[in-house]
């Protein structure tokens, strides 16, 4: 072996492990973003980048193997863009979040979403059965503040009127109503998420309670022969609103998992990772709740045709299923 080849081989052997480590980090950042790195790896990345630059400078100075120079130049360039690359605009970040991060976050927690859905539906069916058997159960599940005056003592005509009472509402009233609905629903969703820190028990209870309220509410209307009316009324906003609340519950269950079952990581590290993913989920759910509030305040007031309400609600349900099921899965597979 020539002296030149020996020098190049020794140079590579002494430094290659650091280059490979940098390459692995760069590939992860390129595929999954900086958020995929731990705090320790984020600190390590610029140090490895500077070390590689130093290696490149030495390699150029002593005119080492051309293939090695090209490798170091490419690796340094890729690392530079990972650390100092052009940041996306605010609008670009929003588009990326909606097109990739949010649907992928939902797909990744699909089994927790299923668990949250089952808890919600179990409570709804139980409350529906009990209230449909005896309307007095309605008061057990629905408080005075949530009933908006709709109780077993309300006449059937008044119950029906409540579903179609907004045809002449002005824009000012609807704006206020939309703001109120968003604030209320977002509070429920955030609580479902935040209470996951308490090992998920309060989260499960809150999901169960919301399902029970819905079941009792629907049973009241079904008992008066207004089943199709209430289904159409709920569909126009409920497919978005209820799904968002269920997803917030799934995010809360993720926090609970981070504490209860940390795996090989420490509880703190696992909770931090679960928290980052759950945070994406909750931000997206807040946007969904805003959409639901606008649909409930404006859509249900201005759209009073049962068929049209059902078409809109069904269309939204299909959209969310495709958005999370198809797009979310596709993004996860590409990553």
């Amino acid at each position: 072996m020539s002296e030149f080849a020996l020098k190049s081989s020794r140079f590579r052997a002494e430094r290659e492990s650091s280059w490979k480590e940098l390459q692995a980090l760069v590939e992860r950042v390129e595929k999954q973003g900086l958020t995929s790195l731990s705090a320790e790896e984020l600190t390590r990345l610029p140090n490895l980048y500077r070390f590689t630059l130093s290696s490149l400078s030495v390699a150029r100075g002593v005119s080492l193997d051309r293939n090695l120079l090209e490798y170091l130049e490419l690796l340094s360039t890729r690392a530079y863009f990972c650390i100092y690359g052009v940041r996306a605009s605010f609008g670009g970040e929003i588009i990326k979040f909606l097109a990739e991060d949010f649907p992928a976050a939902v797909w990744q927690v699909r089994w927790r979403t299923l668990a949250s859905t089952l808890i919600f539906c179990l409570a709804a069916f139980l409350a529906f059965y009990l209230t449909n058997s005896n309307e007095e159960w309605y008061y057990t599940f629905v408080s005075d503040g949530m009933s908006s005056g709709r109780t077993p003592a309300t006449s059937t005509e008044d119950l029906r009127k409540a579903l179609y009472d907004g045809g002449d509402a002005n824009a000012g009233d609807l704006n206020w109503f939309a703001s109120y609905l968003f604030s209320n629903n977002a509070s429920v969703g955030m609580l479902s998420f935040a209470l996951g820190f308490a090992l998920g028990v309060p989260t499960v209870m809150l999901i169960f309670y919301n399902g029970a309220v819905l079941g009792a509410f629907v049973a009241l209307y079904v008992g008066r022969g207004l089943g199709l009316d209430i289904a159409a009324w709920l569909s126009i906003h409920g497919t978005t609103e209820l799904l968002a609340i269920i997803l917030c519950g799934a995010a809360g269950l993720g926090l609970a998992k981070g504490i209860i079952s940390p795996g090989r990581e420490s509880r703190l590290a696992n909770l931090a990772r679960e928290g980052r993913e759950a945070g994406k989920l909750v931000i997206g759910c807040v946007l969904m709740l805003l959409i639901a509030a606008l649909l409930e305040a404006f859509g249900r007031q201005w759209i009073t045709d049962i068929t049209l309400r059902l078409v809109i609600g069904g269309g939204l349900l299909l959209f969310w299923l495709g958005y999370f099921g198809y797009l979310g899965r596709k993004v996860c597979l590409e990553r």
Side-chain angles (χ1 to χ4, degrees):
M1 180 182 293
S2 67
E3 182 180 350
F4 175 81
L6 181 61
K7 185 187 297 184
S8 179
S9 177
R10 184 181 302 161
F11 179 82
R12 177 187 286 269
E14 291 173 350
R15 296 167 173 80
E16 190 170 24
S17 60
S18 295
W19 304 339
K20 293 296 184 184
E21 184 181 355
L22 176 62
Q23 181 178 345
L25 293 179
V26 167
E27 288 175 350
R28 280 175 56 192
V29 172
E30 288 174 342
K31 292 179 180 179
Q32 303 175 31
L34 283 171
T35 56
S36 65
L37 302 185
S38 67
E40 182 181 352
E41 289 169 333
L42 285 171
T43 303
R44 186 98 173 116
L45 181 61
N47 293 333
L48 290 169
Y49 168 64
R50 286 191 290 269
F51 178 82
T52 303
L53 281 181
S54 176
S55 298
L56 177 59
S57 178
V58 173
R60 284 172 173 167
V62 296
S63 301
L64 291 181
D65 179 23
R66 183 62 191 169
N67 290 332
L68 177 60
L69 285 172
E70 290 178 354
Y71 168 76
L72 292 175
E73 286 172 353
L74 179 59
L75 180 57
S76 298
T77 301
R78 292 169 65 193
Y80 172 85
F81 281 107
C82 288
I83 300 171
Y84 305 110
V86 178
R87 298 292 185 262
S89 64
F90 179 70
E93 288 293 333
I94 292 178
I95 292 174
K96 179 179 180 297
F97 176 79
L98 295 176
E100 298 180 18
D101 296 342
F102 182 40
V106 174
W107 177 257
Q108 288 172 343
V109 299
R110 57 192 180 278
W111 299 117
R112 294 175 207 160
T113 302
L114 177 61
S116 183
T117 302
L118 290 175
I119 294 169
F120 186 93
C121 291
L122 175 63
F125 285 129
L126 178 62
F128 178 88
Y129 173 77
L130 293 174
T131 305
N132 197 46
S133 302
N134 184 351
E135 286 190 342
E136 291 302 311
W137 277 100
Y138 180 88
Y139 298 104
T140 302
F141 301 113
V142 184
S143 64
D144 292 338
M146 299 188 67
S147 66
S148 300
R150 287 168 288 190
T151 70
T154 307
S155 68
T156 300
E157 183 56 34
D158 285 342
L159 287 176
R160 186 183 186 283
K161 184 179 178 182
L163 303 180
Y164 305 96
D165 64 353
D168 57 353
N170 61 60
D173 291 338
L174 293 177
N175 285 332
W176 175 87
F177 189 42
S179 177
Y180 166 77
L181 290 170
F182 172 69
S183 176
N184 180 70
N185 293 335
S187 297
V188 172
M190 292 298 289
L191 270 177
S192 298
F193 162 64
L195 292 175
F197 283 106
L199 303 182
V201 175
T203 296
V204 171
M205 293 175 64
L206 193 55
I207 297 170
F208 190 92
Y209 175 70
N210 278 276
V213 170
L214 177 67
F217 192 73
V218 171
L220 177 64
Y221 275 84
V222 170
R224 306 297 180 85
L226 298 172
L228 187 60
D229 299 79
I230 190 63
W233 180 81
L234 283 171
S235 70
I236 201 168
H237 66 278
T239 48
T240 301
E241 176 185 315
L242 298 178
L243 178 57
I245 291 175
I246 286 171
L247 288 174
C248 284
L253 294 178
L255 294 183
K257 176 182 177 295
I259 298 173
I260 297 171
S261 178
R264 296 181 179 180
E265 298 178 301
S266 68
R267 277 186 168 79
L268 187 59
N270 195 45
L271 183 60
R273 180 174 56 80
E274 291 286 353
R276 285 194 298 270
E277 293 304 313
K280 296 177 186 178
L281 204 62
V282 173
I283 291 172
C285 288
V286 169
L287 295 176
M288 290 178 67
L289 290 171
L290 177 59
I291 294 171
L294 294 174
L295 286 170
E296 187 171 1
F298 290 87
R300 79 169 190 180
Q301 305 291 349
W302 290 342
I303 302 172
T304 56
D305 180 73
I306 289 180
T307 302
L308 185 55
R309 284 181 170 183
L310 289 171
V311 168
I312 293 173
L316 285 169
L317 180 60
L318 290 175
F319 168 78
W320 292 122
L321 290 176
Y323 179 63
F324 296 130
Y326 173 75
L327 183 59
R329 179 175 179 274
K330 180 173 180 290
V331 172
C332 287
L333 289 175
E334 289 176 351
R335 289 180 175 180

